[in-house]
Amino acid sequence: KIKNFTLFLRTYLQPDTSLRHSAPVYDLTRQLVKQALDEDIGSGDATSLALIDPGTMACATIIARERLTVAGLAVAKMCFSQIDDTTKFEQLTEDGKLLEAGGLLCRLEGSARVILTGERTALNFLQRLSGIATITAQYQEADRKSTRLNSSHW
């Protein structure tokens, strides 16, 4: 099941344009992101609303803390665009790519409130989906090694 899920992500959730080609998947993903944002922020991020002036602009970069297989960038982008579609989201890698610790996933530019409001939900999706993709890649590599070892005895 994990293999199929990763294949699903690679097929439908790569760039934003791929999501739009499959309207049902795109719509379901948007609904899932909306539910996650509603649960996380409700009527607004209290800390950002209290401490950050409305006109404050910011830049942010999402960086890998450890080696991982990237997954979920389109979903992360949705987290910000559903709050405010003027936030710029620059994808710096692709889903399915192996990224070393310190590698850059994406850059954001826009309202500081929007970036701080959406970052926890976006990170939750990225961590969960990249975690699944990373474990899947490890199983695939172990399977390749096992196949090579087994076939060398014949």
Side-chain angles (χ1 to χ4, degrees):
K1 291 203 178 218
I2 291 176
K3 263 186 186 174
N4 292 338
F5 186 67
T6 301
L7 178 62
F8 169 81
L9 289 173
R10 288 181 183 160
T11 303
Y12 294 107
L13 299 183
Q14 279 243 345
D16 218 22
T17 55
S18 294
L19 277 172
R20 296 191 195 290
H21 290 225
S22 178
V25 172
Y26 181 77
D27 291 342
L28 287 171
T29 306
R30 283 192 59 81
Q31 289 174 10
L32 178 64
V33 168
K34 183 184 179 324
Q35 288 174 348
L37 287 168
D38 288 347
E39 182 180 312
D40 188 47
I41 60 174
S43 61
D45 180 34
T47 305
S48 295
L49 292 171
L51 300 176
I52 300 172
D53 291 328
T56 303
M57 302 302 281
C59 295
T61 305
I62 297 179
I63 302 169
R65 281 200 239 174
E66 58 188 44
R67 187 174 200 235
L68 58 86
T69 301
V70 178
L73 288 167
V75 179
K77 181 178 182 177
M78 271 188 200
C79 292
F80 299 102
S81 66
Q82 283 194 27
I83 298 168
D84 177 2
D85 64 359
T86 64
T87 303
K88 293 179 185 170
F89 184 100
E90 180 186 1
Q91 188 172 310
L92 302 174
T93 188
E94 295 179 21
D95 284 348
K97 296 286 183 179
L98 181 64
L99 200 62
E100 296 297 328
L104 308 178
L105 281 83
C106 61
R107 259 193 208 100
L108 299 151
E109 188 177 325
S111 163
R113 281 185 174 183
V114 171
I115 291 171
L116 291 172
T117 299
E119 59 90 18
R120 182 173 43 234
T121 303
L123 288 175
N124 285 343
F125 278 115
L126 284 170
Q127 289 170 349
R128 179 72 168 173
L129 297 173
S130 293
I132 292 166
T134 301
I135 290 170
T136 302
Q138 290 169 351
Y139 281 127
Q140 288 175 330
E141 181 60 25
D143 184 51
R144 272 192 290 275
K145 287 179 181 177
S146 170
T147 303
R148 278 185 289 205
L149 288 174
N150 290 337
S151 63
S152 67
H153 294 292
W154 297 96

